[in-house]
């Protein structure tokens, strides 16, 4: 579907922009009291969606901190959106969770390309986050879930809301993944 959209003239960068803007708008719709969030980003395009989202939320007065949990070697599209971040959005490569500082967290680590086991450091941070009394959002699919089979890795991210970009994936509709996906919202990204 993305390839067809690109063939019709929309760029992958624009699709990422549409995903991030749509996710930010939906977050504010379902959680209007949002004040300060943590965006946990991987190095691929799922992380890039969250970088767009942080920029969009900042325009609405919502603060975000960025944690690049897989390091700072990002995909080209993600790097473009990292470069577009306002200077007042802090970007970290590591650090401990200050659970008093955040009222929501966004999972944008692996997205739809995940299968297998989570890296140990990601398991550890998700284990902490999954028990915090804060709102948890996942972009496209919670990290740790295979979007096609619904296989769930140990300590997968447990979202209250998942923002499905472009189309629902099989795992969004499976009974065994409902406690991880929470409420699934479809986001039109232009494909």
């Amino acid at each position: 579907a993305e390839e067809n959209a690109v063939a019709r003239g929309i760029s992958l960068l624009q699709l990422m922009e549409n995903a991030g803007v749509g996710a930010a708008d939906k977050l504010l719709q379902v959680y209007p009291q949002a004040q300060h969030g943590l965006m946990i980003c991987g190095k691929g395009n799922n992380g890039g969606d969250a970088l767009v989202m942080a920029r969009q939320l900042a325009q609405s007065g919502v603060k975000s901190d960025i944690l690049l949990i897989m390091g700072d070697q990002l995909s080209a599209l993600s790097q473009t959106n990292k470069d577009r971040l306002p200077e007042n959005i802090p970007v970290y490569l590591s650090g401990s969770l200050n659970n008093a500082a955040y009222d929501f967290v966004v999972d944008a680590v692996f997205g739809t390309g995940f299968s297998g086991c989570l890296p140990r450091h990601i398991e550890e941070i998700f284990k902490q986050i999954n028990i915090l009394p804060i709102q948890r959002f996942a972009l496209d699919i919670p990290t740790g879930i295979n979007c096609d089979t619904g296989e769930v890795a140990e300590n997968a991210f447990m979202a209250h809301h998942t923002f499905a970009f472009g189309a629902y994936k099989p795992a969004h509709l499976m009974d065994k993944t409902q406690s991880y996906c929470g409420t699934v919202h479809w986001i039109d990204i232009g494909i």
Side-chain angles (χ1 to χ4, degrees):
E2 283 183 358
E3 289 174 10
N4 287 338
V6 170
R8 291 192 318 270
I10 191 168
S11 70
L12 291 175
L13 188 62
Q14 186 60 54
L15 290 176
M16 183 176 284
E17 186 75 14
N18 294 350
V21 169
D25 290 348
K26 184 59 75 173
L27 184 146
L28 293 173
Q29 183 181 33
V30 300
Y31 185 54
Q33 60 271 43
Q35 294 179 13
H36 190 187
L38 176 65
M39 307 284 183
I40 304 176
C41 301
K43 59 186 177 181
N45 291 345
N46 194 244
D49 297 335
L51 296 172
V52 173
M53 190 178 179
R55 178 169 29 93
Q56 183 72 13
L57 288 171
Q59 293 176 9
S60 298
V62 178
K63 296 190 302 186
S64 298
D65 293 358
I66 307 294
L67 174 60
L68 299 178
I69 200 165
M70 300 294 290
D72 63 354
Q73 298 299 309
L74 306 178
S75 72
L77 294 175
S78 292
Q79 184 63 49
T80 296
N81 279 300
K82 180 178 176 281
D83 294 342
R84 291 179 175 178
L85 288 174
E87 289 183 12
N88 64 342
I89 296 180
V91 178
Y92 303 101
L93 294 178
S94 65
S96 60
L97 286 175
N98 178 357
N99 55 13
Y102 304 114
D103 59 288
F104 70 93
V105 64
V106 174
D107 158 36
V109 181
F110 287 125
T112 59
F114 177 81
S115 64
C117 298
L118 290 171
R120 192 57 151 155
H121 72 289
I122 293 174
E123 263 194 55
E124 287 303 315
I125 198 165
F126 284 176
K127 190 175 180 180
Q128 294 174 50
I129 288 171
N130 285 339
I131 61 171
L132 292 178
I134 61 177
Q135 287 294 300
R136 296 184 300 272
F137 299 89
L139 299 189
D140 223 3
I141 192 86
T143 293
I145 296 178
N146 181 305
C147 75
D148 294 320
T149 67
E151 181 182 349
V152 178
E154 189 172 351
N155 292 310
F157 189 84
M158 298 183 78
H160 294 108
H161 298 274
T162 296
F163 301 143
F165 296 138
Y168 293 105
K169 284 64 175 182
H172 290 141
L173 308 175
M174 296 178 182
D175 289 340
K176 64 183 175 180
T177 58
Q178 287 310 297
S179 62
Y180 294 90
C181 292
T183 303
V184 181
H185 308 268
W186 176 73
I187 306 287
D188 182 3
I189 63 170
I191 57 175

